[in-house]
């Protein structure tokens, strides 16, 4: 799954939440034209979807396997961009 598809899944259920809808729409538009979306935006979007309890709706609409692919895809993109913290 591509990050664009993963964000589209969140976008499909974000209509009741204007802030999440705006973030998902902007991220989807940017990814669609090949721009990179900052990891903090993706992380915040995933976190906000969890706070708004969208995960059960996404799982019901797309199935457990597609839901897991969506989370893994976004997590990999976040991990790819996030700076490594030295300890």
């Amino acid at each position: 799954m591509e990050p664009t598809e993963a964000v589209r899944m969140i976008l499909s259920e974000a209509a009741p939440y204007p802030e999440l809808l705006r973030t998902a729409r902007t991220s989807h538009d940017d990814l669609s034209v090949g721009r990179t979306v900052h990891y903090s935006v993706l992380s915040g979007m995933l976190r906000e979807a969890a706070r708004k309890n969208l995960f059960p709706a996404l799982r019901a609409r797309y199935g457990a396997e597609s839901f897991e692919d969506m989370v893994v895809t976004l997590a990999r993109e976040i991990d790819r961009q996030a700076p490594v913290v030295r300890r």
Side-chain angles (χ1 to χ4, degrees):
M1 177 178 291
E2 295 294 320
T4 307
E5 297 165 346
V7 172
R8 187 180 313 127
M9 288 174 67
I10 293 175
L11 181 60
S12 71
E13 295 293 329
Y17 310 102
E19 185 67 31
L20 181 59
L21 179 64
R22 187 176 71 237
T23 302
R25 182 177 291 143
T26 302
S27 298
H28 183 268
D29 292 347
D30 287 346
L31 289 167
S32 294
V33 295
R35 289 191 289 258
T36 301
V37 176
H38 196 266
Y39 75 91
S40 63
V41 174
L42 295 174
S43 179
M45 183 175 45
L46 198 57
R47 185 174 33 255
E48 193 62 23
R51 284 185 186 145
K52 301 298 184 188
N53 203 29
L54 290 185
F55 289 174
L58 290 169
R59 190 180 309 244
R61 182 172 185 170
Y62 295 103
E65 187 174 326
S66 291
F67 172 77
E68 296 296 325
D69 286 346
M70 183 263 307
V71 172
V72 168
T73 298
L74 291 176
R76 283 185 181 150
E77 184 63 19
I78 292 164
D79 187 51
R80 184 185 70 77
Q81 292 183 34
V84 176
V85 178
R86 292 184 187 199
R87 295 183 184 196

